[in-house]
Amino acid sequence: MGCPCEVLVETDAAAVARCVAGSAMAEARRIDQKFSRYQKGSVIHAIHERHGGAFRVDEETARLLDYGAALWRISDGAFDLTSGVLRHAWSFDNGRVEGHPERIPSLLARVGWRRVGWNPRTREIVLPEGMELDLGGIGKEYAVDRVADWAAANVDCPVLVNFGGDLRAVGPPPAGGAWRVGIDSPGAAGRAIKRLELKSGALATSGDAARFIEIDGKRYGHILDARTGWPPKGGPRSVTVAAETCSQAGSYSTLAMLSGADARSFLKAENVKHWLV
Amino acid sequence: MQLKKPIGVSLAVATAGLLGSLPTAPAAAEEAKDWEMDSTLLFYGEDGDRVKDASLMTSIRRALDEDRSFSLSLTVDALTGATPSGAVPANGVQTFTSPSGRASYDIAAGETPLDDNFLDTRVALAGNWQQSLGEAMRLNAGLSASHEYDYLHLGANVRLERDFNQRNTTLFAGAALAQDTMDPVGGVPLPLSPMQAAIPGNGGGGGYLKAGGSSESKDVYDLLIGVTQVLSRRSLLEVAYSYSQVDGYQNDPYKILSVVDPATGAPVAGPPGSGLNLYLYESRPDSRTKQSVFAEWRYAFDRDSFALSARYMTDDWGIDSQTVDARYRWNISESSYLEPHLRWYTQGAADFYRTVLFNGDPLPQHASADYRLADSDAYTVGFKYGHRTARGEFSVRLEYYHQQGDPSPGAAVGDLAGFELVPPLDAVIAQFGYKFRF
């Protein structure tokens, strides 16, 4: 998953805590191995291996592809499961940021869900040669929701699932009344700039305060608009959104980041609870 | 990117397709409130004409993040009433000079002499900084100051805590420094000097034989070390040791001792021509070392909790004291509780405590008739009720305090045997509190 994954369980019974933690770990590992583009043997790897041929995916993969397609539609193409290749134009390594805008035009030729043949009925996907598919933008939130849904169905104690800062609370609120969640301060990971109290539902944060790029004195976030290959201008450093599920919260926060300077008005119009840094 | 229409419904439909269903509970997330304001209004009233205190305390605390917070508090006290001067009752009217030295007052025969010229306002300010030092350590540092008509206090304190043993053990250590300056009304009386007749008028100022300066000060050094240990899932034990050193002026400049005839117990005549009996200003040592051991055991039942603590204190003035304190917190409902409170205190007298001084005896180096240094037993009984609402939490505390000195001290010779030499003290404490976050 590429991030610290934790599950907090409030219970007197150590066996219950161990059971929830064990199930969560197994599910996170399963999702990571199945959908990671880095893992040989993953569905994504198998699709890439077809080099333009049709591949019939399983039902779970189909649901994720449908979800990605819906976000692409909703965002008018700004969100795109095939935008991963744009990483070759930008590197967001800690501290050292390199931009190669001259590479964008040729990379954009390899981006676009429109060109992917996806048939939800037959569950067949055709990914043109040279294009890449990446479920990283939705996979982590999906994993949080899967683990949370499992916990909600199987135990009745307070559980918080937290995969790298995207989290969801199920069961009754914890003894303190709410889970306390800190949003990192820009430039100082580990020091909370905002403290939230979560009783139920999910919180997801997009934009990483420590990862941004600066070109000609202008600051850009690290989420790229698949249509232009550039990060949107003038947006917040990070967006945190509360929603019923982590998938919804994550999509709202990603779409808000893609809205750049309009992030706040977008979230207001959607009437969702949000916090901008 | 600018989205044309609200996407909530499309997103919900897509998410339901992804996860199979959507949870029924809506999201509930709020920004944590960083400010907390806590105010209490306290009335303390002793019986009869004795001390009444109305005190308003308000404190404000700001959490900067999970690890750091600061707080400021302001307390304003208004004190009125009379305190025992230390002199004992007599069969005749007794005349005393008030602390200003410009007036005098009479105490009827058989009455406990009270100094009723007691009216004061105290203002106290304190600031405190708390922060974590890494995962297992916490630092707390503060400054305090208070001022009243004749008294100025300045203090600083620091406390360090460190967790061990998976947070089941916490060691703590603290230190505090304070400097108190007294500027008594009418000057600093010379210890064991006789009370003089009043000299009225603005230029007046009898009453005292003045010591050197007009103000005196003392330095207070406190050290604390202790440990909190989790004993079980339900119980916790805290043990602490404290050491305190006070150097400097520790007399109460308004307290006196009666000098009586060793056979009859009657007062003897004071300075010639003064018309007063002989009363000497008290004299305490200028150094005091206190040590105390404190232990508290806390136990959590399923719904309620209980705390029992004991303290033993001893000092080089010869005072030993013991305190036992018990509180039971009965959580009546999710939002309200009732907390009965019982406290018992007993104290042995200071070595230099004297109910009276006998005429003809050699003058001791130190002597005080302050009832707070006498043998005494006291108990407090009361309760606190608290109720939490969506906006804040209010509480009411009502307590009754009773203190009883030795009813027949060895000094009760002659006439004195018929008087209450160390009168009992009854007091009522009522406190209203309101606390909220914003």
Side-chain angles (χ1 to χ4, degrees), chain A residues 183-198:
Chain A
I183 301 179
D184 273 356
S185 150
R191 170 147 287 176
I193 191 169
K194 278 205 173 70
R195 299 178 307 131
L196 306 183
E197 291 180 347
L198 178 68

Side-chain angles (χ1 to χ4, degrees), chain B residues 108-151:
Chain B
E111 294 288 315
T112 301
L114 298 178
D115 173 5
D116 66 352
N117 292 274
F118 183 48
L119 175 66
D120 207 347
T121 304
R122 187 179 73 106
V123 177
L125 266 174
N128 205 281
W129 174 263
Q130 274 175 298
Q131 94 163 85
S132 299
L133 301 172
E135 284 287 300
M137 260 218 275
R138 290 172 297 282
L139 173 75
N140 190 320
L143 292 172
S144 63
S146 72
H147 184 256
E148 55 200 289
Y149 185 66
D150 58 358
Y151 206 92

Side-chain angles (χ1 to χ4, degrees), chain B residues 124-401:
Chain B
L125 266 174
N128 205 281
W129 174 263
Q130 274 175 298
Q131 94 163 85
S132 299
L133 301 172
E135 284 287 300
M137 260 218 275
R138 290 172 297 282
L139 173 75
N140 190 320
L143 292 172
S144 63
S146 72
H147 184 256
E148 55 200 289
Y149 185 66
D150 58 358
Y151 206 92
L152 175 71
H153 158 89
L154 297 171
N157 60 77
V158 64
R159 179 184 164 113
L160 205 57
E161 292 184 359
R162 190 178 193 305
D163 300 327
F164 294 92
N165 186 19
Q166 294 181 314
R167 295 198 170 182
N168 286 315
T169 308
T170 303
L171 285 181
F172 55 90
L177 274 176
Q179 187 177 59
D180 293 4
T181 309
M182 278 216 87
D183 197 357
V185 178
V188 180
L190 194 65
L192 299 179
S193 67
M195 180 180 274
Q196 307 289 312
I199 302 172
N202 279 341
Y208 296 167
L209 287 179
K210 306 290 191 299
S214 67
S215 74
E216 291 281 359
S217 69
K218 69 179 178 204
D219 298 319
V220 183
Y221 310 90
D222 289 304
L223 288 173
L224 170 78
I225 185 162
V227 60
T228 304
Q229 175 67 46
V230 175
L231 299 178
S232 73
R233 211 167 56 78
R234 290 180 179 278
S235 65
L236 189 146
L237 181 70
E238 178 174 320
V239 179
Y241 164 80
S242 71
Y243 179 90
S244 173
Q245 175 68 40
V246 187
D247 288 324
Y249 186 79
Q250 294 174 63
N251 294 336
D252 183 329
Y254 310 123
K255 293 265 187 274
I256 52 179
L257 296 102
S258 295
V259 180
V260 300
D261 183 278
T264 65
V268 301
S274 68
L276 303 180
N277 295 327
L278 184 57
Y279 309 109
L280 303 185
Y281 286 95
E282 71 163 26
S283 164
R284 303 185 190 192
D286 60 6
S287 162
R288 184 181 190 184
T289 305
K290 284 194 266 194
Q291 298 184 77
S292 77
V293 183
F294 170 83
E296 181 174 57
W297 179 67
R298 274 176 269 167
Y299 189 86
F301 298 94
D302 284 340
R303 184 196 60 193
D304 302 343
S305 61
F306 178 67
L308 179 69
S309 71
R311 180 187 299 275
Y312 174 75
M313 194 283 291
T314 182
D315 70 11
D316 64 352
W317 283 6
I319 298 177
D320 288 334
S321 73
Q322 286 126 59
T323 312
V324 178
D325 189 294
R327 287 167 202 272
Y328 186 89
R329 178 166 165 136
W330 173 28
N331 290 311
I332 303 166
S333 71
E334 282 282 299
S335 58
S336 59
Y337 66 88
L338 185 67
E339 190 179 87
H341 176 213
L342 266 177
R343 182 173 176 273
W344 173 81
Y345 176 83
T346 184
Q347 163 184 307
D351 295 336
F352 55 87
Y353 173 78
R354 302 280 185 278
T355 314
V356 292
L357 292 173
F358 292 114
N359 195 27
D361 280 0
L363 209 53
Q365 188 187 1
H366 301 294
S368 171
D370 188 335
Y371 70 99
R372 291 168 296 187
L373 301 178
D375 275 308
S376 70
D377 296 320
Y379 63 81
T380 305
V381 53
F383 70 88
K384 184 176 174 185
Y385 172 79
H387 184 76
R388 202 169 55 232
T389 68
R391 317 193 76 191
E393 179 182 331
F394 71 83
S395 62
V396 179
R397 182 160 71 97
L398 272 177
E399 286 183 335
Y400 168 75
Y401 174 81

Side-chain angles (χ1 to χ4, degrees), chain A residues 7-264:
Chain A
V7 179
L8 303 179
V9 185
E10 190 176 277
T11 172
D12 289 342
V16 170
R18 260 196 296 275
C19 170
V20 175
S23 303
M25 202 157 77
E27 180 66 358
R29 195 164 285 153
R30 182 190 73 79
I31 292 172
D32 193 37
Q33 283 171 358
K34 182 170 175 182
F35 298 108
S36 166
R37 72 188 156 84
Y38 301 105
Q39 298 265 0
K40 271 196 176 152
S42 77
V43 182
I44 306 303
H45 194 258
I47 294 171
H48 289 160
E49 287 296 289
R50 281 300 160 101
H51 299 288
F55 183 85
R56 188 163 187 275
V57 300
D58 65 289
E59 188 268 336
E60 184 183 36
T61 308
R63 282 189 278 116
L64 279 159
L65 291 174
D66 279 343
Y67 188 73
L71 287 184
W72 174 78
R73 263 194 314 277
I74 288 170
S75 68
D76 283 337
F79 177 91
D80 195 310
L81 292 177
T82 64
S83 66
V85 293
L86 290 169
R87 72 181 176 276
H88 298 301
W90 308 97
S91 64
F92 299 100
D93 283 339
N94 260 353
R96 268 187 45 233
V97 178
E98 282 183 70
H100 306 283
E102 72 284 358
R103 295 181 191 164
I104 290 177
S106 63
L107 290 170
L108 277 180
R110 297 161 58 195
V111 173
W113 182 254
R114 196 185 305 280
R115 296 208 289 281
V116 175
W118 166 238
N119 185 335
R121 261 184 309 111
T122 62
R123 302 206 307 258
E124 276 187 338
I125 183 167
V126 179
L127 184 70
E129 179 81 51
M131 288 181 69
E132 285 180 18
L133 193 63
D134 188 352
L135 297 181
I138 53 179
K140 190 169 64 164
E141 291 90 333
Y142 172 68
V144 170
D145 281 327
R146 287 280 305 183
V147 172
D149 281 342
W150 180 90
N154 290 282
V155 296
D156 49 15
C157 54
V159 175
L160 182 76
V161 183
N162 175 11
F163 290 0
D166 291 335
L167 38 89
R168 185 168 148 200
V170 291
W179 298 99
R180 296 229 287 264
V181 179
I183 301 179
D184 273 356
S185 150
R191 170 147 287 176
I193 191 169
K194 278 205 173 70
R195 299 178 307 131
L196 306 183
E197 291 180 347
L198 178 68
K199 284 188 178 138
S200 68
L203 287 173
T205 301
S206 279
D208 181 330
R211 284 162 69 195
F212 55 85
I213 48 179
E214 219 171 68
I215 300 170
D216 296 336
K218 285 203 186 79
R219 179 166 286 182
Y220 298 85
H222 78 295
I223 292 177
L224 303 174
D225 187 324
R227 297 166 302 186
T228 63
W230 282 77
K233 254 190 284 187
R237 287 188 184 187
S238 87
V239 174
T240 301
V241 178
E244 287 95 318
T245 63
C246 200
S247 295
Q248 285 159 290
S251 298
Y252 274 125
S253 60
T254 302
L255 296 180
M257 285 302 281
L258 286 169
S259 303
D262 297 322
R264 191 183 295 276

